Amino acid sequence: MAKFVFIAGGLCLGLYVVIGILGYLSFGNSPGPLSNVLDSYAAGDTLARVARAVVGLVMVVSYPVNCFCARSALCDLVVAARGGKGAVEGDADGGHSRGLQTVVVTIFFALTYAVALFVTNLGVVFSILGATVGVYVILV
């Protein structure tokens, strides 16, 4: 899993850097009234369409990265609340039972599905995901 997190994090970092550099080269310090630099490009711009697709790919890749870290932290909290020891360092599954991991991932999936059903402005969701991936990049 550590290899996957490293690869996914590297992919996210690379894609964000490319989009950031292209946005800066196009608009300088001020992309305009829109907060998302990609929205400042014309709707029919082929490169902007490709960049939007890449941002979608970043979101798809960042979900498992966020889910893995959050699952591990939440499992540690549950185990500690029950009076147990934390995760075993170096253990592939973090030392947590498969049942606990399954419950936590199922809850995460259900919450994500609920957000997908009820949130109509994906910009809010992308902002939150972008912020958490940004924190991950800073951590690395």
Side-chain angles (χ1 to χ4, degrees):
M1 190 63 191
K3 289 178 186 177
F4 173 77
V5 170
F6 180 75
I7 291 168
L11 181 61
C12 289
L13 175 63
L15 295 174
Y16 272 118
V17 167
V18 168
I19 290 170
I21 289 172
L22 292 176
Y24 181 78
L25 291 174
S26 295
F27 302 107
N29 288 334
S30 177
L34 302 171
S35 62
N36 183 349
V37 71
L38 291 178
D39 291 339
S40 297
Y41 290 101
D45 188 344
T46 304
L47 287 177
R49 286 182 182 174
V50 170
R52 287 183 188 103
V54 169
V55 169
L57 177 63
V58 168
M59 295 306 137
V60 169
V61 172
S62 67
Y63 184 83
V65 172
N66 288 312
C67 187
F68 174 76
C69 299
R71 182 199 72 193
S72 180
L74 190 57
C75 287
D76 280 348
L77 287 173
V78 169
V79 169
R82 292 180 165 178
K85 295 181 179 179
V88 178
E89 192 163 330
D91 193 350
D93 64 0
H96 304 117
S97 73
R98 185 62 67 189
L100 177 60
Q101 291 179 18
T102 302
V103 167
V104 170
V105 169
T106 302
I107 290 170
F108 283 164
F109 179 78
L111 291 173
T112 302
Y113 190 70
V115 168
L117 287 175
F118 297 111
V119 174
T120 57
N121 181 3
L122 288 180
V124 174
V125 176
F126 287 165
S127 296
I128 293 170
L129 285 174
T132 55
V133 172
V135 169
Y136 170 75
V137 168
I138 291 169
L139 177 66
V140 169

